[in-house]
Amino acid sequence: MFKSVRRTIVAAFLATALFAGLALPGAPVSTAFASPDTDVSNKQNFSTDVIYQIFTDRLYDGNSGNNPSGSSFDGTCTNLKLYCGGDWQGITDKINANYFSNMGITALWISQPVENIYSVVNYSGVNNTSYHGYWARDFKKTNPYYGTVTDFQNLVSAAHAKGIKIVIDFAPNHTSPAMETNSAFAENGKLYDNGTLLGGYTGDTNGYFHHNLGTDFSSLENGIYKNLYDLADINHNNSTIDTYFKDAIKVWLDLGIDGIRVDAVKHMPFGWQKNWLASIYSYQPVFTFGEWFLGVNDADPNNVQFANESGMSLLDFRFAQKVRQVFRDNTDTMYGLDSMISSTATDYAQVSDQVTFIDNHDMDRFKSGTVSDRRVEQALAFGLTSRGVPAIYYGTEQYMAGSGDPGNRARISSFSESTTAFNVIKALAPLRKSNPAIAYGTTQQRWISNDVYVYERKFGDSVAVVAINRNGSSSTSVSGLITSFASGTYTDALGGLLNGNSITVGSGGAVSTFTLAAGGVAVWQSTPTQTTPVVGHVGPVLGKPGNTVTIDGRGFGSTKGTVYFGTNAVTGANIVSWEDSQIKAIVPSVTPGKYAVKVRTSGSVDSNSYNSFNILTGTQVSVRFIVQNASTTYGQNVYLVGSASEIGGWDTSKAIGPMFNQIITAYPNWYYDVSVPANTALQFKFIKKNGATVTWEGGSNHTFTTPSSGTATVTVSWQ
Ligand code: NOJ
Ligand code: NOJ
Ligand code: CA
Ligand code: CA
């Protein structure tokens, strides 16, 4: 009786909400053009989205009642190290004013939403606050200066109602500033569990933190197990901590978030992160991308390995740094831009999942210095039409300048919708939804000089061609351009906003000679109906049997066919849904390892193969492996290999390592934190590798049964 009354009320609410055109949190919003792969409900795939990165404190103060009082607040936002009053209500107000949807933005990345320290931290006489959100104290509570849980829920529902996803920043590497010898400094890095103190940095008897002083960034190991600056560094090889962070992210997943930007992934054990992600992907898979900072011309193989093995995408610093060199600093040419595009496509297994950008809160704003507005517009146009998920830093559309931190984090200067940059974004962002070549396509250089780059994006039968002339004073005659277009005339999708022209295409995709204006950008495109199957995206790319995986593309047809993981067919009830642009399938229970994913239509036509889905053995736990007395010769390193796919399946080329030997244990003892299947009897050995030369341990295999939850450490001697 009660039940039925409640049901009626819920139904009535639903009817009202639908009638009012409102969406419920998490409910899919359908628009006239939406196909499921491009819908706001698609939390696994951001390839059709454009992200807008917001410093929550710096966008808009929608509720002055939640502002801090006293010395941590400057309502004029002159002192950029203090709180300025911006909050979730302010973002909600701007969502409802259509500022983002008018620009074509479909995802907002907001500051870490969790409760931060309240104290003002004095460095060399200068006051600093946690306005940026990176000084957490309780990952299960909200930062009250940003808002309450209700404010957060309102933000998520307002966003979803406008077809906008919400991505949170999340920083499980550390809590807040702390000093080993002074518990009175700041808030001593204290960590709380939904209001209950777990522990502080000094007197850390539970081992929640590392106590190895600050990193000098000299090696991966140094960066992971020492403090980043003076931030109290979390020890993830601790069961309380591991459970805490798995639960804390669920708090936000339950509040309806659609994605996570993970801070400082280079500074946390990779095995722990993989185990944490596996937990997220089994609970509520959302698009997750990490921050691994790279400098100019830096292409760290560890960064590539992380992007390909962890199950997490990365912010694409190679893309950002190269775009800045070419369009901002004039320290490289279009040849460098093109070679970045091809080398990243080779290196990253899922290049269209990496998050591209032209500036952010840790670098000078693109416009700072003597950069012209046109160069900002060109860099934006390049990002919006390139592979990867573009993220636009708040205020770039208003040509905000500002260098260094916090000069690059001023309050947004204006909400004008008439700047050219705003209108470039407005024109190009929707193409990511309407033309799958832009969301998923390959990139091919079609015409190039120092200043001109013409590139083609192609996915199935869909094509987009973009021409950019960065030279602001000379036009270029482009002759001999070949494209994949059918014959016809193609108009500039920017409508001449950046002086682009139309082109005429004849047979064989040949374009009649045309003049690309000085500083010109033109975008031409076509999207014929796709009749053969093409897979553009699989997400997440890591999961255990039984998880649901989302496969996006075109031309799958409306009748259920077959999904293949390698040669393993998934059919019938294990296909959860099948639509022309999206399939949801259950990860099969087959030999764990990497598989190419392929779709076969009901008419037996095969798609391309999408690399490389990692089928896990099962639920993951993080285990620290230590091997003592493993002396090595110069050039040799110690690795772990063993029975489970997660530890290489006895394949020495997939062994885990090189292990570390300086901080947690020191040479000749080696250690590494590894994501392994839970509650599993593992057999393993350590090997010494020098290039391709492998030296095995003697004796019989070591054995260890992993815990069913929590972390563990296993220590053996080299034999
Ligand atoms: C990288 C962030 O982007 C930066 O702004 C922050 O200060 C550090 N990580 C520490 O959280
Ligand atoms: C692989 C075997 O399966 C394992 O048991 C053995 O210890 C190593 N090779 C070294 O021979
Ligand atoms: Ca406020
Ligand atoms: Ca760390």
Side-chain angles (χ1 to χ4, degrees):
M1 149 96 179
F2 278 126
K3 218 174 187 175
S4 78
V5 169
R6 223 182 109 212
R7 208 177 284 145
T8 314
I9 293 169
V10 170
F13 172 71
L14 263 168
T16 320
L18 290 174
F19 181 71
L22 299 171
L24 295 168
V29 175
S30 52
T31 68
F33 317 101
S35 55
D37 71 314
T38 65
D39 197 89
V40 69
S41 64
N42 190 349
K43 294 174 188 260
Q44 294 79 37
N45 174 7
F46 272 53
S47 292
T48 72
D49 289 308
V50 176
I51 301 175
Y52 183 87
Q53 180 196 353
I54 294 174
F55 252 53
T56 301
D57 183 60
R58 300 294 152 88
L59 194 82
Y60 189 63
D61 185 357
N63 174 10
S64 58
N66 61 17
N67 295 348
S69 54
S71 60
S72 56
F73 183 63
D74 175 8
T76 69
C77 212
T78 311
N79 183 341
L80 294 177
K81 289 174 178 287
L82 304 184
Y83 275 94
C84 297
D87 47 32
W88 296 327
Q89 183 61 54
I91 300 173
T92 304
D93 291 350
K94 292 301 168 187
I95 290 171
N96 289 333
N98 292 324
Y99 181 67
F100 306 113
S101 22
N102 286 349
M103 207 188 331
I105 298 300
T106 57
L108 301 176
W109 152 17
I110 61 173
S111 302
Q112 177 166 239
V114 313
E115 185 185 42
N116 269 233
I117 62 168
Y118 296 97
S119 43
V120 173
V121 184
N122 194 286
Y123 290 115
S124 323
V126 178
N127 282 341
N128 285 263
T129 67
S130 59
Y131 73 90
H132 42 67
Y134 289 119
W135 292 351
R137 62 177 242 157
D138 194 331
F139 292 82
K140 296 185 184 175
K141 291 179 77 169
T142 69
N143 182 331
Y145 303 143
Y146 297 164
T148 62
V149 170
T150 304
D151 294 327
F152 190 85
Q153 286 169 318
N154 290 341
L155 166 65
V156 172
S157 4
H160 288 175
K162 300 279 184 185
I164 296 172
K165 300 172 180 176
I166 294 291
V167 177
I168 61 165
D169 212 317
F170 204 71
N173 173 66
H174 53 264
T175 54
S176 61
M179 268 172 154
E180 194 65 63
T181 51
N182 179 4
S183 63
F185 182 69
E187 294 187 17
N188 191 29
K190 280 180 188 157
L191 176 65
Y192 293 81
D193 183 354
N194 198 20
T196 304
L197 177 66
L198 284 179
Y201 194 59
T202 60
D204 177 24
T205 48
N206 293 312
Y208 294 146
F209 299 97
H210 291 137
H211 298 276
N212 305 315
L213 304 176
T215 178
D216 60 7
F217 302 92
S218 58
S219 68
L220 276 184
E221 178 183 13
N222 193 289
I224 293 172
Y225 297 98
K226 290 178 175 253
N227 295 359
L228 185 56
Y229 318 115
D230 61 347
L231 301 167
D233 203 58
I234 293 286
N235 170 22
H236 298 94
N237 188 41
N238 174 295
S239 291
T240 304
I241 291 290
D242 175 65
T243 304
Y244 176 84
F245 280 109
K246 285 173 180 165
D247 290 347
I249 198 62
K250 286 179 185 163
V251 169
W252 302 97
L253 291 166
D254 287 346
L255 288 169
I257 61 163
D258 308 286
I260 308 167
R261 179 270 191 189
V262 186
D263 189 61
V265 297
K266 187 183 174 179
H267 300 282
M268 292 181 277
F270 308 147
W272 181 78
Q273 293 186 76
K274 184 177 169 190
N275 128 101
W276 182 64
L277 272 185
S279 157
I280 293 170
Y281 292 163
S282 293
Y283 185 74
Q284 168 59 268
V286 299
F287 181 64
T288 306
F289 57 101
E291 176 234 9
W292 181 308
F293 190 90
L294 293 174
V296 174
N297 288 327
D298 214 352
D300 181 350
N302 294 303
N303 162 290
V304 171
Q305 183 171 348
F306 185 91
N308 293 348
E309 300 298 328
S310 68
M312 195 192 295
S313 303
L314 288 177
L315 280 155
D316 196 339
F317 277 86
R318 280 162 75 180
F319 184 99
Q321 298 288 15
K322 191 53 70 181
V323 166
R324 291 166 70 86
Q325 281 188 279
V326 173
F327 290 104
R328 178 177 187 272
D329 304 329
N330 300 310
T331 54
D332 203 346
T333 67
M334 291 300 193
Y335 291 98
L337 194 66
D338 182 53
S339 90
M340 176 276 295
I341 288 292
S342 46
S343 60
T344 49
T346 306
D347 290 349
Y348 293 122
Q350 292 95 24
V351 74
S352 60
D353 269 340
Q354 313 308 313
V355 177
T356 61
F357 57 101
I358 66 169
D359 57 2
N360 72 17
H361 59 297
D362 294 325
M363 42 176 71
D364 295 344
R365 278 187 176 271
F366 195 91
K367 175 70 185 152
S368 64
T370 56
V371 182
S372 70
D373 287 359
R374 181 53 62 97
R375 287 297 187 85
V376 176
E377 295 146 9
Q378 294 192 326
L380 284 170
F382 180 67
L384 287 161
T385 55
S386 290
R387 92 292 179 286
V389 181
I392 295 168
Y393 188 44
Y394 80 95
T396 300
E397 77 282 16
Q398 305 295 344
Y399 305 104
M400 281 176 73
S403 47
D405 158 8
N408 54 6
R409 302 168 176 192
R411 181 183 280 164
I412 196 167
S413 55
S414 156
F415 290 99
S416 166
E417 300 189 9
S418 59
T419 69
T420 302
F422 184 99
N423 285 288
V424 166
I425 303 166
K426 181 188 183 113
L428 297 181
L431 294 182
R432 299 196 70 89
K433 301 251 177 229
S434 62
N435 188 334
I438 293 179
Y440 309 125
T442 52
T443 309
Q444 185 181 356
Q445 182 264 103
R446 289 293 200 175
W447 206 99
I448 192 162
S449 67
N450 281 345
D451 286 342
V452 174
Y453 188 36
V454 183
Y455 53 98
E456 177 176 291
R457 309 287 319 282
K458 190 170 192 309
F459 180 74
D461 299 328
S462 290
V463 179
V465 174
V466 182
I468 306 180
N469 178 8
R470 73 167 176 175
N471 190 317
S473 45
S474 316
S475 62
T476 294
S477 173
V478 177
S479 60
L481 175 66
I482 303 292
T483 65
S484 297
F485 285 133
S487 308
T489 298
Y490 294 81
T491 57
D492 173 21
L494 281 162
L497 198 56
L498 301 179
N499 307 102
N501 52 286
S502 299
I503 50 170
T504 307
V505 180
S507 67
V511 179
S512 309
T513 299
F514 65 92
T515 300
L516 183 61
V521 179
V523 178
W524 308 289
Q525 51 118 21
S526 79
T527 51
T529 305
Q530 182 72 37
T531 49
T532 52
V534 257
V535 173
H537 188 270
V538 173
V541 287
L542 166 158
K544 65 179 182 184
N547 282 6
T548 300
V549 62
T550 301
I551 301 162
D552 292 319
R554 290 289 181 280
F556 301 149
S558 51
T559 313
K560 225 183 239 197
T562 309
V563 171
Y564 284 91
F565 287 75
T567 55
N568 304 285
V570 176
T571 55
N574 287 323
I575 299 207
V576 179
S577 63
W578 186 292
E579 295 175 73
D580 191 61
S581 71
Q582 185 173 80
I583 298 162
K584 286 186 183 282
I586 305 287
V587 177
S589 186
V590 295
T591 309
K594 293 242 179 115
Y595 290 93
V597 176
K598 186 177 79 175
V599 169
R600 179 169 294 170
T601 63
S602 60
S604 285
V605 183
D606 281 3
S607 75
N608 55 311
S609 286
Y610 189 92
N611 293 322
S612 33
F613 191 90
N614 189 356
I615 300 189
L616 302 167
T617 306
T619 302
Q620 302 284 293
V621 290
S622 178
V623 169
R624 175 166 295 166
F625 288 81
I626 301 179
V627 57
Q628 297 177 324
N629 288 312
S631 299
T632 47
T633 55
Y634 184 78
Q636 268 186 335
N637 276 296
V638 175
Y639 291 72
L640 164 72
V641 68
S643 53
S645 162
E646 285 83 348
I647 50 175
W650 292 120
D651 177 348
T652 57
S653 71
K654 294 181 184 157
I656 304 296
M659 297 175 72
F660 298 137
N661 61 13
Q662 291 180 42
I663 299 177
I664 302 294
T665 62
Y667 181 85
N669 303 335
W670 305 65
Y671 68 98
Y672 212 76
D673 296 334
V674 190
S675 183
V676 288
N679 198 20
T680 300
L682 295 177
Q683 305 234 354
F684 59 97
K685 275 191 170 176
F686 296 92
I687 56 175
K688 294 172 186 168
K689 278 216 257 187
N690 186 356
T693 311
V694 173
T695 308
W696 282 89
E697 265 190 294
S700 48
N701 297 334
H702 304 288
T703 57
F704 180 68
T705 299
T706 62
S708 51
S709 66
T711 63
T713 298
V714 51
T715 306
V716 300
S717 285
W718 176 270
Q719 60 194 16

